[in-house]
Amino acid sequence: MKTFALIGNPNCGKTTLFNALTGSTAHVGNWPGVTVDKREGVYKDGGKKIKIVDLPGIYSLSPYTPEELIARNFILSDEPDAIVNIVDATNLERNLYLTTQILEIDIPVIIALNMMDEVEKSGDKINLSKLEKQLGVPVVAISALKGSGLKQLMDRADSMQNKRVGTTILKGSMDEHLDKAVDFYRRENNSSPLFHAVKLLENDEIELKKSGAAEIVESFGNVDLEAAIADARYSYISENLAVAKSKGNGQTLTKSDKIDKVLTHRIWAIPIFLLVLFAIFHLTFSENLLFLNGFGDSTAWMPSLVECGLAVEEDGETVYNNFGVEILAVFYDGTVYSPGVMLTNFLNLFLDHISSGVVTLMQNAGAAEWTVGLVGDGILGGIFAVLGFLPQILVLFLFFSILEDTGYMARIAFVLDRIFRRFGLSGRAFMPMIMGFGCSVPATVNTRTLADDKERTATIRVIPFFSCGAKLPILTAVAGGIVAAFGVGNADVITFGMYILGIAAAIVCVLLMRNTSLKGDTPPFIMELPTYRMPGFKNLMLHLWDKTKHFIKKAFTIIFASTVIIWLLSHLSWNWNYLSDEEMQNSILASLGMLLQPLFTPLGFGSQLGEFGWVFAVAVITGLVAKENVIATFTTLAICISAYAGSGTQDGVQELVGLIDVITQSSQVPQQQFIAALIAFIAFNMTTIPCFAACATAKSELQKGKFKWTLLFWLVASYVVGAAVYTVGSWWWTVFIWLAAVVAVSVVIVLKNKEKKK
Ligand code: GDP
Ligand code: MG
């Protein structure tokens, strides 16, 4: 099977082309640096099969960053049968800079002129045959997004001769030097001697290390060929290649510029970004859409379904008059819900009916009490509690995908670079952090785009603070529980606040690390802004489908197994006797939980929560396997503790309310302290050791010996954050103690750094 390598500048559409050719669903983003490793797939057309390799985007073949090295090494040592060089036609001049280097390699090259749909829209024209003649290799116009020209591209690539000798546009003054270097590599039997020779002239570090190479460069005397070569490439492009393009009215460009005037404004950019973020959280989590029902209880005016006489309150549960009202309650109950909440309600309606149906069926069939408990409370309770959050996760990611695909996220990185720089990170670190909102695993891998090792370590450590999709159920359920049980606050405000708290914790920790254990310079951040684009519908759906698949798979494997284990341990005594829900306090799990419980006393969810407080300790531990487990565990145990068994509502919030009631009665913990403890519980889970998969990824991406310190860092950070939230939330004046501690630490660091400088 032939192998074709896709190579091109960041953001030129490589991954889109890769997906279109191979039917894969790799991550596409309107953002340079999304692909940081190579990816393989197979193109099939009739009986023809071709292996396609997607390489990271690069601007040049001189390896400075890890991505450039990956791409260069693959091409030079794996020797693909052909290189498909993707060129963003809307950005011809800059993209051809890489092309002139690729042509120097002795491998057949074909140019895929991408984004032709946009070129056509703007009215520009590109003369393909002129370009083809100048470059000496085939040029095919395509649109990876629309799928046009792909077959032609592959057919022409497939029919190319399998031998090609590299060509260079460098002529004239450099000939003598170049010949000398080429001779050297020929003698060494190197493949692609021309490529290596040019690189040597450019003072490429890898080439200089080869024995005998440095002497050749010295023999040229003191000339800066590196700059001369770059110059030569650019002037060749503008004189001979860019002329193939004739300008249309150029409307697309100015539109992007106009939007940027507002969105990257010096002062307004950040407030606008925060506003956009809040709008997203509001549409995803709010139970009071657009604040239609006023702010807070005093201004509320919309009647609830019970007040309308459409439902009745029974044992703290709402029972609807008929199925029609139940459907209505998906959209409205005293307030209009946000789209995210509506979808969640809708799914839960189904899940509720399924689980209560199953429980009834089992009871009627005369199943043993413990099997009904295991299936109803354990398995279905746990899995459904987690699945119920899928709609909100998807809505949130839909919004994030849109922000990314339009090119807005890249602007934010650019704007934030100014601020990031002050605490020791470049704007480049923003992408992995944003990806952290999805999942820490790909986010951690993406830190490969950071050239500086210390910056990279610091970034990897704070990625879990950007609350991932799996932690979202913790946030939503606990926030929902607080609102429902105590009647305070808004779920979307609490959720948004927690995300901001995570970001703030990340900033403080980076600042701390970059001034102590991970000191170093911040490399400059160079990234051009991608043009604004309408996000492709197919691409958005691919993102969401990917998320859904992953989530469902996890629910039915890891979470399924964990809930079964949790349920069993909570219903077995140390001498393996079955315990009913009422006897759960004597179970294996309860005694283990009680052992750990005091550890969390400084954070508010330890001993002060009394005899049932161990549930929190257990939830924290199961969260180390997968964060969804926190809520799955909670729900399973809460159903049993609060005797909700078989009641049928499994959205996590209801059960939590039951648990909160039971704990409040049994421990007499004051309301304010309990609320603070619950928020501290979210904060702790958000900043503590991430799930198993994320830990494994961090371990493999970090330098040797850094991982154990990273684990310790997560533990300490989450403990401090949790304790701060709990104490300040319970006794506001403790804020001064924390501030004093911050000042003291800062002073010590500043003094120490000064001392070292001397
Ligand atoms: P990569 O960084 O080279 O892998 O680029 P991606 O495949 O991630 O694409 C970058 C952006 O360009 C995404 O927003 C794509 O939707 C968009 N894009 C890719 N190909 C085309 C195309 O042919 N036409 C248009 N209009 N947009 C495209
Ligand atoms: Mg890519």
Side-chain angles (χ1 to χ4, degrees):
M1 190 161 40
K2 281 190 182 176
T3 301
F4 291 177
L6 303 185
I7 191 160
N9 282 190
N11 223 35
C12 67
K14 276 182 314 307
T15 304
T16 310
L17 179 61
F18 176 80
N19 287 349
L21 291 176
T22 63
S24 308
T25 56
H27 188 97
V28 173
N30 193 7
W31 179 294
V34 169
T35 312
V36 288
D37 206 348
K38 61 178 198 289
R39 229 185 320 241
E40 299 183 356
V42 176
Y43 167 79
K44 292 190 195 110
D45 180 26
K48 191 160 66 188
K49 277 189 183 172
I50 294 167
K51 185 155 109 186
I52 310 281
V53 181
D54 183 22
L55 295 170
I58 52 175
Y59 293 112
S60 120
L61 284 168
S62 307
Y64 290 114
T65 63
E67 305 114 287
E68 282 168 358
L69 202 62
I70 291 174
R72 169 166 158 155
N73 284 346
F74 180 80
I75 297 214
L76 293 180
S77 33
D78 285 54
E79 298 203 341
D81 297 290
I83 297 173
V84 180
N85 175 207
I86 302 166
V87 166
D88 175 356
T90 61
N91 229 324
L92 205 54
E93 272 112 312
R94 187 172 41 70
N95 275 249
L96 287 172
Y97 185 73
L98 177 68
T99 308
T100 60
Q101 298 177 51
I102 293 173
L103 290 175
E104 286 158 1
I105 304 172
D106 292 349
I107 293 178
V109 178
I110 185 167
I111 309 285
L113 206 54
N114 193 26
M115 315 245 181
M116 283 306 280
D117 55 317
E118 272 189 28
V119 172
E120 276 157 28
K121 218 165 58 196
S122 69
D124 289 355
K125 291 248 155 32
I126 295 177
N127 187 334
L128 292 186
S129 54
K130 211 168 178 177
L131 202 56
E132 208 164 272
K133 216 160 90 205
Q134 286 288 348
L135 293 169
V137 293
V139 177
V140 180
I142 65 164
S143 166
L145 192 69
K146 304 254 142 71
S148 62
L150 304 188
K151 186 169 160 48
Q152 199 199 350
L153 173 73
M154 292 310 280
D155 286 349
R156 270 190 89 177
D158 192 36
S159 62
M160 284 194 298
Q161 280 178 339
N162 48 16
K163 277 266 165 318
R164 183 177 160 274
V165 179
T167 56
T168 181
I169 53 90
L170 302 173
K171 288 269 147 53
S173 60
M174 254 161 293
D175 278 356
E176 191 191 326
H177 299 327
L178 197 56
D179 288 346
K180 208 164 161 185
V182 171
D183 275 346
F184 167 75
Y185 284 101
R186 281 230 176 87
R187 260 180 289 147
E188 302 278 304
N189 268 333
N190 242 300
S191 56
S192 294
L194 178 65
F195 173 80
H196 289 286
V198 176
K199 283 287 161 264
L200 183 62
L201 262 53
E202 288 177 342
N203 285 328
D204 184 293
E205 276 170 35
I206 299 179
E207 301 300 338
L208 283 172
K209 282 198 192 108
K210 291 187 179 150
S211 78
E215 287 74 31
I216 297 195
V217 176
E218 271 160 33
S219 75
F220 300 153
N222 253 341
V223 281
D224 184 7
L225 291 175
E226 193 179 356
I229 291 176
D231 259 3
R233 288 194 203 280
Y234 276 122
S235 46
Y236 183 84
I237 291 168
S238 58
E239 278 161 30
N240 300 296
L241 302 177
V243 290
K245 185 171 171 176
S246 55
K247 270 235 130 324
N249 49 17
Q251 237 170 18
T252 43
L253 240 171
T254 50
K255 215 194 283 168
S256 244
D257 288 347
K258 263 188 212 150
I259 302 176
D260 270 342
K261 271 228 167 89
V262 183
L263 294 186
T264 61
H265 189 270
R266 275 200 84 80
I267 296 159
W268 296 114
I270 301 277
I272 290 176
F273 177 55
L274 288 177
L275 211 67
V276 169
L277 267 191
F278 183 75
I280 289 177
F281 280 89
H282 184 72
L283 288 174
T284 313
F285 299 111
S286 177
E287 308 223 328
N288 183 4
L289 188 65
L290 302 176
F291 300 104
L292 286 174
N293 198 26
F295 298 87
D297 276 348
S298 53
T299 52
W301 57 274
M302 291 180 172
S304 72
L305 292 178
V306 174
E307 284 165 331
C308 293
L310 293 169
V312 284
E313 202 78 45
E314 255 174 37
D315 296 338
E317 257 202 77
T318 315
V319 179
Y320 302 102
N321 285 2
N322 54 49
F323 192 63
V325 180
E326 210 171 329
I327 297 269
L328 176 64
V330 165
F331 305 95
Y332 174 92
D333 190 358
T335 67
V336 181
Y337 297 132
S338 62
V341 175
M342 285 180 192
L343 287 171
T344 298
N345 289 345
F346 191 66
L347 182 63
N348 279 320
L349 185 69
F350 276 102
L351 297 181
D352 286 352
H353 280 281
I354 293 175
S355 65
S356 53
V358 169
V359 167
T360 318
L361 215 68
M362 288 180 75
Q363 277 164 345
N364 290 348
E369 186 200 339
W370 72 271
T371 49
V372 178
L374 174 63
V375 174
D377 308 340
I379 298 173
L380 296 183
I383 293 181
F384 285 2
V386 174
L387 271 191
F389 289 99
L390 185 60
Q392 278 174 323
I393 293 179
L394 291 185
V395 171
L396 192 63
F397 286 109
L398 180 68
F399 283 124
F400 276 138
S401 296
I402 292 175
L403 289 194
E404 197 188 315
D405 284 0
T406 48
Y408 182 57
M409 285 294 197
R411 266 74 187 179
I412 297 306
F414 169 78
V415 170
L416 285 181
D417 187 56
R418 284 199 299 262
I419 303 167
F420 269 40
R421 202 150 283 283
R422 294 210 190 122
F423 55 87
L425 290 183
S426 59
R428 234 173 217 277
F430 179 69
M431 183 58 177
M433 291 178 177
I434 281 292
M435 285 175 89
F437 283 133
C439 174
S440 297
V441 172
T444 304
V445 175
N446 191 270
T447 57
R448 289 182 194 171
T449 52
L450 301 174
D452 181 73
D453 274 335
K454 288 182 174 160
E455 184 187 16
R456 200 173 159 208
T457 306
T459 310
I460 289 179
R461 284 182 181 166
V462 299
I463 280 177
F465 298 0
F466 295 81
S467 189
C468 73
K471 290 179 189 166
L472 201 140
I474 310 179
L475 272 136
T476 322
V478 179
I482 292 173
V483 175
F486 303 109
V488 292
N490 284 308
D492 58 335
V493 176
I494 297 179
T495 318
F496 181 66
M498 292 318 283
Y499 272 83
I500 297 290
L501 178 74
I503 297 171
I507 292 176
V508 171
C509 289
V510 167
L511 199 59
L512 209 62
M513 284 188 277
R514 293 292 272 167
N515 279 297
T516 54
S517 60
L518 295 173
K519 250 186 269 180
D521 293 331
T522 309
F525 175 52
I526 309 157
M527 174 176 100
E528 64 245 66
L529 299 179
T531 33
Y532 284 104
R533 295 207 170 91
M534 276 303 278
F537 179 75
K538 205 172 121 199
N539 192 14
L540 287 180
M541 290 305 121
L542 276 181
H543 278 206
L544 293 189
W545 173 234
D546 241 24
K547 267 256 143 0
T548 312
K549 238 178 14 195
H550 180 70
F551 199 78
I552 290 182
K553 203 170 121 200
K554 227 162 137 195
F556 285 97
T557 51
I558 300 177
I559 295 155
F560 171 78
S562 305
T563 45
V564 170
I565 293 172
I566 289 292
W567 192 88
L568 286 176
L569 290 181
S570 63
H571 287 78
L572 283 175
S573 69
W574 285 100
N575 40 24
W576 299 103
N577 285 331
Y578 168 71
L579 303 170
S580 68
D581 286 352
E582 288 75 35
E583 302 162 312
M584 209 161 94
Q585 287 300 88
N586 305 319
S587 66
I588 300 177
L589 194 70
S591 59
L592 290 178
M594 286 171 193
L595 203 67
L596 294 174
Q597 197 179 349
L599 284 181
F600 301 104
T601 305
L603 312 187
F605 48 93
S607 304
Q608 58 271 73
L609 295 189
E611 52 177 335
F612 294 107
W614 59 270
V615 173
F616 286 85
V618 170
V620 165
I621 302 300
T622 56
L624 295 180
V625 178
K627 292 294 165 191
E628 292 95 333
N629 267 341
V630 174
I631 283 311
T633 305
F634 249 144
T635 310
T636 300
L637 296 178
I639 295 175
C640 303
I641 288 178
S642 59
Y644 258 105
S647 73
T649 44
Q650 264 132 16
D651 59 359
V653 176
Q654 282 279 348
E655 288 76 9
L656 200 67
V657 172
L659 184 67
I660 290 173
D661 284 347
V662 171
I663 290 180
T664 309
Q665 279 157 22
S666 68
S667 72
Q668 250 105 60
V669 56
Q671 175 174 329
Q672 190 183 352
Q673 282 171 40
F674 201 178
I675 295 176
L678 287 168
I679 296 183
F681 178 74
I682 307 179
F684 177 81
N685 275 296
M686 238 168 84
T687 48
T688 198
I689 300 176
C691 70
F692 198 73
C695 284
T697 312
K699 186 168 194 301
S700 70
E701 294 293 326
L702 283 166
Q703 283 170 301
K704 232 176 147 179
K706 286 259 160 62
F707 181 64
K708 53 177 190 286
W709 294 110
T710 304
L711 277 182
L712 184 70
F713 164 78
W714 284 329
L715 268 182
V716 173
S718 55
Y719 214 77
V720 172
V721 172
V725 168
Y726 171 60
T727 50
V728 174
S730 301
W731 307 279
W732 66 267
W733 48 266
T734 51
V735 78
F736 296 115
I737 300 179
W738 288 102
L739 282 178
V742 171
V743 171
V745 170
S746 320
V747 168
V748 169
I749 291 174
V750 169
L751 288 181
K752 273 241 148 119
N753 285 347
K754 254 199 188 142
E755 210 170 273
K756 267 209 195 116
K757 262 197 195 137
K758 278 180 194 163

